């Protein structure tokens, strides 16, 4: 059984992607949660994950003597190893498109990711309203998401981006969390997609466990501390 090393479920958007992919696909795996205490070289997190991952980061998938890091590499390995799960679209053109949007998420949307860190247990609608007002980069990132998701949902007929669940939906699950937490304004059909992703059993399981952590980390929430001090 493969082992998946992850960070805190409330905060770790990169950990969420392969965890949801495996869980939603019904692939058995052992979870190894490595708590974020800090990311300094002498932190407990680094002491635990350092011997496992050459990058010293999560997520990491360990399958026998194979170590796979980086979410895209993990997704490709899982899709190839459990090919019967059809985790990429079967049509070659749709598959190339799905890989393209995952790669865009992997390297892009930096304004949304940096200004709206994932925080599943929080209600940050007030913070989101200020971000929306003051951060044109966030507005541009959200518009790109709206355009991308709208085109895919129309082309493939829903309910998910390529019809049935695939890597792309797992990849954008943390984005759905952000849109919900910060109450960023999107059209009704995009909200409906967000709600469908949040309702997936694999995503629901992640959300439930994130809410159960009760592990507030100040260094992960500078926006909330500023708001409290105001």
């Amino acid at each position: 059984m493969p082992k998946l090393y992850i960070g805190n479920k409330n905060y770790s958007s990169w950990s969420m992607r392969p965890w949801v992919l495996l869980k939603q696909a019904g692939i058995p795996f052992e979870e190894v949660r490595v708590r974020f205490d800090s990311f300094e070289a002498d932190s407990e997190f680094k002491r635990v994950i350092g011997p496992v991952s050459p990058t010293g980061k999560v997520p990491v998938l360990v399958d026998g003597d194979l170590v796979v890091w980086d979410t895209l590499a993990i997704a490709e390995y899982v899709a190839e190893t459990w090919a019967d799960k059809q985790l990429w679209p079967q049509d070659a053109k749709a598959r190339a498109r799905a890989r393209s949007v995952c790669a865009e998420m992997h390297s892009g949307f930096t304004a949304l990711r940096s200004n709206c860190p994932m925080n599943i247990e929080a209600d940050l609608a007030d913070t989101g309203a200020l971000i929306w007002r003051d951060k044109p980069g966030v507005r541009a990132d959200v518009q790109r998401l709206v355009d991308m998701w709208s085109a895919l949902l129309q082309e493939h007929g829903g309910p998910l981006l390529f019809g049935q669940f695939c890597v792309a939906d797992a990849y954008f699950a943390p984005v759905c969390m952000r849109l919900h937490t910060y109450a960023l304004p999107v059209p009704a059909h995009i909200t409906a997609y967000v709600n469908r992703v949040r309702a997936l059993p694999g995503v629901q399981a992640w959300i439930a466990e994130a809410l159960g952590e009760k592990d507030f980390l100040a260094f992960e929430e500078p926006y909330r501390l500023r708001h409290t001090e105001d």
Side-chain angles (χ1 to χ4, degrees):
M1 183 183 298
K3 292 183 180 181
L4 182 67
Y5 289 76
I6 64 169
N8 289 52
K9 289 190 171 75
N10 190 50
Y11 301 113
S12 186
S13 59
W14 292 108
S15 296
M16 184 181 186
R17 294 179 169 97
W19 194 97
V20 164
L21 183 66
L22 290 163
K23 196 79 168 179
Q24 185 65 25
I27 298 169
F29 66 99
E30 178 184 344
E31 173 191 315
V32 183
R33 179 178 171 272
V34 187
R35 180 181 181 267
F36 294 157
D37 56 340
S38 83
F39 302 120
E40 301 299 322
D42 61 348
S43 66
E44 182 65 18
F45 175 83
K46 289 295 188 182
R47 283 198 294 269
V48 173
I49 204 65
V52 179
S53 169
T55 64
K57 299 177 180 179
V58 289
V60 183
L61 185 73
V62 178
D63 191 11
D65 61 356
L66 175 67
V67 178
V68 187
W69 62 96
D70 188 275
T71 52
L72 277 177
I74 294 171
E76 291 286 6
Y77 176 75
V78 169
E80 290 179 358
T81 304
W82 289 274
D84 60 305
K85 301 295 184 179
Q86 298 184 4
L87 294 175
W88 288 114
Q90 295 302 289
D91 176 76
K93 291 182 179 180
R95 189 162 61 251
R97 184 84 173 277
R99 286 190 166 109
S100 294
V101 300
C102 288
E104 183 177 352
M105 178 68 252
H106 193 277
S107 61
F109 300 99
T110 53
L112 178 62
R113 284 160 43 191
S114 61
N115 288 284
C116 301
M118 191 174 81
N119 189 331
I120 290 174
E121 68 85 21
D123 179 354
L124 297 173
D126 290 345
T127 301
L130 294 176
I131 291 169
W132 190 258
R133 183 193 70 187
D134 297 337
K135 302 291 184 181
V138 172
R139 297 195 298 272
D141 280 353
V142 172
Q143 186 59 54
R144 171 60 187 141
L145 285 168
V146 169
D147 293 343
M148 175 200 294
W149 291 356
S150 297
L152 292 173
L153 290 167
Q154 181 174 5
E155 180 178 351
H156 298 283
L160 300 175
L161 293 179
F162 291 86
Q164 68 181 31
F165 174 79
C166 74
V167 173
D169 301 296
Y171 229 77
F172 283 107
V175 177
C176 293
M177 301 301 107
R178 289 175 162 98
L179 294 176
H180 178 81
T181 294
Y182 294 88
L184 300 180
V186 293
H189 70 284
I190 298 299
T191 299
Y193 169 70
V194 168
N195 290 338
R196 289 195 293 273
V197 170
R198 285 173 52 81
L200 291 171
V203 177
Q204 280 288 297
W206 179 276
I207 291 173
E209 293 178 26
L211 294 176
E213 284 179 340
K214 308 295 184 185
D215 188 15
F216 173 78
L217 300 176
F219 67 87
E220 288 280 4
E221 304 200 25
Y223 45 86
R224 182 133 73 176
L225 294 179
R226 284 198 300 268
H227 181 76
T228 301
E229 290 166 3
D230 292 343

